[in-house]
Amino acid sequence: MAGLGLVLGLPAAPAAAQFLRDGAPGTPGAIEGELRGLHTPGFPPPPDEPVIAPVPETSWQSLQKRPNTANSRAASDSSRPGAVNPKAPPANPAPRRLVTSGARPGELTGMRLRDASTAGIPPLASSMIKPAPGLPPVNASGPRHLPLEQDPYAPLGIRSGGMVFRPGLEMSGGYDTNAARSATSRKGSSFQRLETELRANSDWSQHQLDFELRGIFTRYSAVRDVNRPEGDARGTLRLDVSRELTLEGEIRSRIDTESASNVNLPAGTTGRTPYYANTASLGGTRRFGRLRLGLRGNVERADYSDLESGGVTTSQGSRNLTGYGLRLRMGYEIVPFVTPFVELGADKRIYDESRDASGFARSSTGATLRMGSTFELARTLIGEAAVGYTDRTYDDTRLSRLASPTADATLTWSISPLTTLALRAQTEITETTIAGSSGAIVYRGTATLTHAFLRHFTATTTFQFAETEYQQVNRRELQLIGGLRLEYKLNRMVAVRGSYAFENYRVNAANSSYQAHTLLLGVRLTP
């Protein structure tokens, strides 16, 4: 939601989605990391150190005298024939022999030995290792035991300067049944796809710095003017000023393309048109016991390239705009890991040109009120959910006020150690160039289910829907996207991926609906 995105500054939503709907979302065959807006990793905390089992007791050997009881009874009975003098030594004394017993030496003599730890004797490190006068204390801790590895197939990354760098390269190819996403000239084509990626995370004891660079280029063999360049750049910094105060900043940049079937493009447009979106935000959170107060401001910028159709260049400068937003949140932790909150936001959108190609002044002001909660239940259900109301008014009195209830949620459910379900819902108000329409309300929903059959073999299925309703005009769009991706890791560096995706786009207008199916197979390298 453009309005909601400016108000909320949701870090997971692409900046471009604040100002326009996705004309042709997703890279062909894309699932999770390849579908736009689906990208969320973490590192589970390291497990506790393993408990070392005690060494089993070994048998002790000792010399023990085994008396000859038969000779003793005979010697003491003088009435029996052949009785011997009890004071005389036996004729054949019993030899001493080595006896093996499971008892400890002290048990043979009646004295029991105890371990130092159970006898109250202090350990060696505290009783015998003493530093010389004037020297620092001696660290006599026991041997360090490394934690068990969570994922033996996870890339180790490259450590340098307190950062961990994780580069990636993916080369793939496949077939798309409708490369241009066209409703009238459907044509299939094979394609090649190259993706490069670099992620970095700080390894500091305090503060946190993360950034990500991602570039994708898709080239179609049988269809012209539909090649797709895509790029994302993101950087976030968290400063832990104190235990009660945290400051956060984020910068995002994105390049993508619009399909010729996008309703915001002039009729007769061919090929794909690039656009650019940039976002910067800064905020902080202050804690007063269980009370949380947060304030965040953001600036967004959208630029659209000129159109090339039939040798004629058409400017899209009237669509370029800058947005400013401010959001205030107050939350109270009623129980550990459950914090209800109330959020109030306001934003302003200013177009570079006072009037668009149809003569409408589309600059506007918006306000949003939300109520919800963040929670973490038994470490299996983590997320945030909220409902609210958004309202937007336009400078042009001919454009009616746009208002709508909102529902937003981001949930991650760990069904089992092998299965994870991620759910996301979002409501937003997007801009449009349709004459007489103030904008469109978009309802989005995404479900991603990931299951690990083996540590190195996972399957991910994704379903996404988006419903767009334009105001003051009779136009309604419904988009359904689904797919399945399989990934087999040969080792830490090499993985084989295969995916299938379908897209169904329905509009209540003639010659506007289309379908597409995509197959993709590739290899991913993570040095």
Side-chain angles (χ1 to χ4, degrees):
M1 153 174 53
L4 184 59
L6 290 172
V7 174
L8 308 183
L10 292 175
Q18 310 296 328
F19 307 107
L20 51 92
R21 70 171 186 84
D22 291 333
T27 297
I31 300 295
E32 194 179 354
E34 302 159 8
L35 277 176
R36 275 188 264 159
L38 304 177
H39 181 41
T40 323
F43 298 93
D48 297 334
E49 294 187 358
V51 179
I52 302 178
V55 179
E57 295 183 359
T58 56
S59 60
W60 295 80
Q61 293 181 341
S62 61
L63 292 176
Q64 183 179 4
K65 215 173 189 181
R66 301 296 296 269
N68 190 333
T69 55
N71 293 337
S72 300
R73 287 195 302 268
S76 61
D77 190 358
S78 58
S79 61
R80 294 181 55 185
V84 296
N85 187 353
K87 296 183 180 182
N92 297 315
R96 295 182 178 181
R97 55 180 177 175
L98 188 65
V99 179
T100 301
S101 171
R104 295 179 182 268
E107 297 175 352
L108 300 176
T109 61
M111 181 181 67
R112 297 188 178 275
L113 301 179
R114 294 181 294 172
D115 295 336
S117 59
T118 60
I121 302 176
L124 178 64
S126 61
S127 62
M128 300 185 64
I129 301 181
K130 299 289 186 181
L135 295 181
V138 178
N139 183 7
S141 59
R144 181 180 178 183
H145 303 288
L146 296 177
L148 295 177
E149 191 171 16
Q150 289 288 329
D151 186 1
Y153 291 90
L156 297 178
I158 303 171
R159 296 182 177 271
S160 176
M163 301 288 293
V164 181
F165 298 88
R166 295 179 175 86
L169 175 65
E170 183 173 348
M171 298 169 289
S172 55
Y175 187 82
D176 194 326
T177 61
N178 189 355
R181 296 300 186 267
S182 174
T184 56
S185 58
R186 176 177 175 179
K187 184 177 180 180
S189 173
S190 60
F191 64 89
Q192 300 80 42
R193 183 173 181 268
L194 178 64
E195 176 181 353
T196 59
E197 181 182 75
L198 175 61
R199 299 185 183 186
N201 308 95
S202 62
D203 190 17
W204 306 335
S205 60
Q206 193 177 13
H207 314 305
Q208 181 70 29
L209 173 63
D210 304 311
F211 70 84
E212 177 182 353
L213 302 175
R214 183 168 174 255
I216 304 174
F217 185 78
T218 306
R219 178 183 179 276
Y220 292 88
S221 304
V223 181
R224 298 181 56 186
D225 301 328
V226 294
N227 294 340
R228 297 189 60 179
E230 299 176 72
D232 285 286
R234 179 185 65 88
T236 60
L237 175 63
R238 188 195 74 234
L239 298 178
D240 302 321
V241 181
S242 66
R243 297 184 59 182
E244 292 78 23
L245 178 61
T246 301
L247 300 180
E248 296 180 347
E250 182 180 51
I251 298 178
R252 284 177 175 264
S253 183
R254 179 175 177 81
I255 177 176
D256 207 338
T257 56
E258 291 182 290
S259 170
S261 61
N262 193 320
V263 69
N264 294 309
L265 299 178
T269 302
T270 58
R272 302 189 69 91
T273 306
Y275 68 86
Y276 309 87
N278 301 280
T279 305
S281 64
L282 179 64
T285 302
R286 182 70 164 87
R287 300 170 182 83
F288 301 90
R290 294 188 176 186
L291 181 66
R292 309 284 191 270
L293 291 179
L295 181 66
R296 177 180 293 270
N298 65 294
V299 180
E300 299 189 355
R301 175 69 185 176
D303 294 280
Y304 297 86
S305 300
D306 295 342
L307 297 174
E308 298 289 343
S309 179
V312 179
T313 301
T314 303
S315 174
Q316 290 200 100
S318 60
R319 297 181 64 189
N320 299 340
L321 74 150
T322 304
Y324 306 91
L326 189 63
R327 175 168 54 102
L328 175 65
R329 173 184 287 196
M330 181 177 66
Y332 188 84
E333 186 181 28
I334 55 176
V335 296
F337 307 112
V338 178
T339 306
F341 65 84
V342 177
E343 185 177 273
L344 177 64
D347 69 278
K348 178 69 175 179
R349 298 179 186 176
I350 303 175
Y351 281 81
D352 292 357
E353 299 181 9
S354 58
R355 296 188 180 274
D356 64 4
S358 302
F360 290 89
R362 294 193 172 273
S363 297
S364 61
T365 303
T368 301
L369 175 64
R370 296 198 316 155
M371 299 179 62
S373 177
T374 61
F375 47 83
E376 180 179 342
L377 305 179
R379 297 189 180 274
T380 59
L381 182 62
I382 304 173
E384 175 181 314
V387 295
Y389 193 83
T390 184
D391 181 274
R392 180 162 295 277
T393 57
Y394 296 83
D395 293 352
D396 198 319
T397 57
R398 294 173 296 173
L399 298 176
S400 63
R401 173 182 152 207
L402 190 57
S404 172
T406 63
D408 302 275
T410 302
L411 305 175
T412 302
W413 180 22
S414 299
I415 302 175
S416 72
L418 302 177
T419 306
T420 302
L421 176 64
L423 301 175
R424 184 179 181 185
Q426 184 181 11
T427 307
E428 60 182 356
I429 296 179
T430 62
E431 301 293 305
T432 184
T433 60
I434 300 178
S437 176
S438 53
I441 302 175
V442 183
Y443 304 93
R444 301 181 186 276
T446 303
T448 303
L449 181 65
T450 302
H451 180 74
F453 296 98
L454 300 170
R455 287 190 174 184
H456 58 287
F457 179 49
T458 59
T460 302
T461 180
T462 300
F463 178 78
Q464 178 180 4
F465 82 92
E467 182 180 9
T468 306
E469 297 182 357
Y470 291 84
Q471 304 300 301
Q472 290 83 49
V473 294
N474 183 23
R475 183 178 178 88
R476 179 176 176 271
E477 302 171 352
L478 180 62
Q479 188 176 50
L480 301 176
I481 300 176
L484 173 67
R485 187 186 73 185
L486 302 177
E487 181 180 44
Y488 189 90
K489 297 180 181 179
L490 302 179
N491 49 45
R492 293 184 185 271
M493 298 180 60
V494 183
V496 179
R497 288 181 173 182
S499 64
Y500 162 77
F502 75 91
E503 182 179 347
N504 191 344
Y505 183 72
R506 296 296 177 188
V507 186
N508 60 341
N511 301 323
S512 298
S513 303
Y514 65 81
Q515 288 185 350
H517 300 264
T518 307
L519 290 173
L520 185 68
L521 181 63
V523 177
R524 180 174 178 82
L525 305 177
T526 52

